[in-house]
Amino acid sequence: MPELSPRRRLLILAICCLSLLIVGMDATIVNVALSAIHHDLHASLPDLQWTIDAYTVVIASLLMLAGSTADRVGRKRTFLTGLVVFTLGSLLCSLAPSLGYLVGFRAVQAIGGSMLNPVALSIITNIFTEPRERARAIGLWGGVVGLSLGLGPVVGGALIDSVGWRAVFWVNIPVGAVAFVLAALFVPESRAPRARRPDPVGQLFVILILAGTTFGIIESPRVGWSSAQTIASLAVALIALVALLYYEPRRADPLLDLRFFSSAPFSGAAVIAVCAFGAFAGFLFLITLYLQQVRQLSALAAGACLLPLAAAAMIGAPTSGRVVGARGPRLPLAFAGAMLTAGGLLLARTTAHESYGVLIACMLVFGLGFAAVNAPITNTAVSGMPREQAGVAAAVASTSRQVGTALGVAVVGTVLASGGATSLGTGFVDAARVGWYVVAGCGFAVLVLGLLTTGPRARASAARTARRVAEPAPLARVG
């Protein structure tokens, strides 16, 4: 690939950041739209859970496939395909005549979304080759997360109040179209020197694990934990997990190299990502419904109430990155876990008439905790890994984030439904209290795991794993 000018590299960075902006905004926008979707489409609580989780389950299932496909067929081609599918999915969501169609079109969105952020990050690391310049580029990329978190609720709230919930999906269409044209013109094509072969069987197992688990959790309050439907879905997930653990070590190019998990920092980062993003997804699901259903705020007012969360993210994320670079991930993970726990416990004490000052303080506490967790997750995941394996390790961490998001909404929503809040009105505050304790519990898990998986023994296990991963897999017989 020819040397690119600094201006061209910055333009490519901006194009990649556009994809992050629309995907990041989509998460918070849709949460703010849940109340309007509930009224317009007569959606039940499990229906609203599926509106979120149809997206996150699909994107979590396909992230690693999208990364390996981009390495094989070309990152630019995959990125452009992702933009087309995501934009088309957004258009279809805006036209959905019923809840079932909306859930299906959210899955289409997710197929496109899986090809955007991880592939865009791969493009950035391929374009910015000098370490310091790459670090600055990734820092700017990360800053867009805070921007999308802040813009999503406010822009979404304004659109919902003025036009309706369908308008929140329209935002993605012009941005996606502009990003497609610019990417087609200015982003160079690139591929990995040696791309992994497809692993369709492993991919199927991952889909069955995530879909079966999420379906069982969400639908259990409606059909019962002991129903054949719930038992069958959870059994499918368990069988697929056992099959994955048997099959993957026997492939020459596995979708998921299970040897990575013998590293305590890597395993810790994956579980921490699930817990932290589960807490965040549960928080967003509960707080947006509370503000609109219990406090009767408009979508715009509810979105404005979430601005402290975005402010905390924009301030805390860069600070956490600097601390990780200077002192390692242990302190930021401990801080993140403590603040997420405190935020969940404080919100568990809220009433139907809580002062907005208290709510804003709770959101600041929780937001600072969540802002601090992202940088150490990535750092811990790749800690001690061979450089050529760092991309795969980071992809597992990204997948773990999406798994956490899916499970957070599934578990918290199920707790709400089991507590009698299916009407999203009477009983919501009392039923949500247990949900906030679940959020706090996830934060406490981040604190404990952060301390356990960043010490000297954990780093030694990472070094041993790096040596094993650098060697050929001895059981590579399948595929």
Side-chain angles (χ1 to χ4, degrees):
M1 186 177 66
E3 182 69 23
L4 301 175
S5 67
R7 182 176 295 180
R8 176 81 174 270
R9 291 200 297 272
L10 287 175
L11 177 58
I12 293 169
L13 175 61
I15 294 167
C16 291
C17 286
L18 273 180
S19 74
L20 178 63
L21 183 66
I22 57 175
V23 172
M25 283 179 60
D26 191 75
T28 48
I29 276 182
V30 174
N31 270 280
V32 172
L34 288 178
S35 182
I37 292 171
H38 163 65
H39 290 295
D40 189 37
L41 298 182
H42 311 290
S44 65
L45 185 58
D47 292 335
L48 296 182
Q49 289 172 270
W50 278 119
T51 304
I52 303 295
D53 273 358
Y55 182 89
T56 53
V57 167
V58 172
I59 204 170
S61 300
L62 299 180
L63 273 176
M64 296 192 69
L65 174 64
S68 62
T69 301
D71 288 342
R72 186 169 56 256
V73 306
R75 298 181 181 108
K76 176 180 179 177
R77 181 182 300 179
T78 305
F79 184 67
L80 291 174
T81 303
L83 284 170
V84 170
V85 176
F86 185 84
T87 304
L88 175 62
S90 299
L91 175 62
L92 292 173
C93 286
S94 72
L95 300 174
S98 66
L99 199 285
Y101 280 101
L102 177 61
V103 169
F105 295 150
R106 286 282 286 163
V108 174
Q109 252 194 323
I111 294 172
S114 70
M115 301 181 224
L116 293 181
N117 289 355
V119 178
L121 189 56
S122 182
I123 291 171
I124 291 172
T125 56
N126 191 63
I127 295 297
F128 294 90
T129 54
E130 196 274 319
R132 185 175 297 180
E133 189 180 43
R134 178 184 291 176
R136 285 198 297 267
I138 293 175
L140 287 171
W141 159 270
V144 176
V145 175
L147 180 63
S148 66
L149 194 64
L151 284 177
V154 177
V155 172
L159 288 171
I160 293 164
D161 281 354
S162 59
V163 182
W165 65 266
R166 297 178 188 276
V168 302
F169 296 105
W170 297 345
V171 176
N172 300 329
I173 298 171
V175 178
V178 169
F180 179 88
V181 172
L182 293 175
L185 292 174
F186 298 108
V187 174
E189 186 60 279
S190 62
R191 294 177 177 83
R194 180 192 174 277
R196 288 177 295 155
R197 287 181 293 174
D199 181 6
V201 176
Q203 184 63 61
L204 176 62
F205 288 151
V206 170
I207 292 172
L208 290 175
I209 292 167
L210 295 177
T213 303
T214 306
F215 185 88
I217 293 173
I218 290 178
E219 295 298 324
S220 58
R222 185 150 50 188
V223 300
W225 281 102
S226 59
S227 70
Q229 183 174 306
T230 302
I231 293 172
S233 62
L234 295 177
V236 166
L238 180 60
I239 293 169
L241 174 60
V242 173
L244 182 76
L245 294 177
Y246 175 81
Y247 178 81
E248 287 297 287
R250 290 161 172 77
R251 270 192 60 85
D253 280 326
L255 179 74
L256 182 62
D257 192 335
L258 298 178
R259 294 177 298 171
F260 282 19
F261 290 93
S262 61
S263 163
F266 179 85
S267 297
V271 179
I272 287 168
V274 171
C275 293
F277 278 75
F280 181 67
F283 165 86
L284 269 185
F285 191 79
L286 289 173
I287 198 68
T288 51
L289 289 175
Y290 168 81
L291 290 172
Q292 294 181 74
Q293 297 293 130
V294 177
R295 304 304 292 266
Q296 296 295 305
L297 294 183
S298 67
L300 178 58
C305 284
L306 292 175
L307 282 176
L309 184 72
M314 295 183 74
I315 295 169
T319 304
S320 175
R322 286 193 293 270
V323 175
V324 169
R327 302 186 59 180
R330 189 178 181 87
L331 181 60
L333 284 175
F335 175 80
M339 297 297 273
L340 290 173
T341 304
L345 291 175
L346 289 170
L347 286 162
R349 297 174 61 86
T350 55
T351 67
H353 306 287
E354 196 65 67
S355 73
Y356 288 108
V358 170
L359 291 175
I360 289 172
C362 292
M363 281 188 256
L364 280 172
V365 170
F366 188 89
L368 286 172
F370 184 69
V373 83
N374 251 316
I377 284 175
T378 303
N379 178 276
T380 306
V382 302
S383 175
M385 291 292 179
R387 182 174 296 178
E388 61 272 16
Q389 299 290 346
V392 179
V396 173
S398 296
T399 301
S400 299
R401 291 180 175 99
Q402 295 297 330
V403 170
T405 301
L407 293 180
V409 172
V411 171
V412 166
T414 297
V415 166
L416 270 182
S418 300
T422 51
S423 68
L424 298 182
T426 305
F428 182 92
V429 173
D430 291 335
R433 191 161 288 118
V434 180
W436 288 122
Y437 286 135
V438 171
V439 170
C442 289
F444 186 70
V446 171
L447 171 62
V448 173
L449 289 168
L451 294 175
L452 290 177
T453 61
T454 55
R457 288 187 179 180
R459 290 194 296 271
S461 76
R464 290 193 299 270
T465 301
R467 290 193 293 270
R468 289 180 60 203
V469 169
E471 300 169 356
L475 296 176
R477 295 195 300 265
V478 179

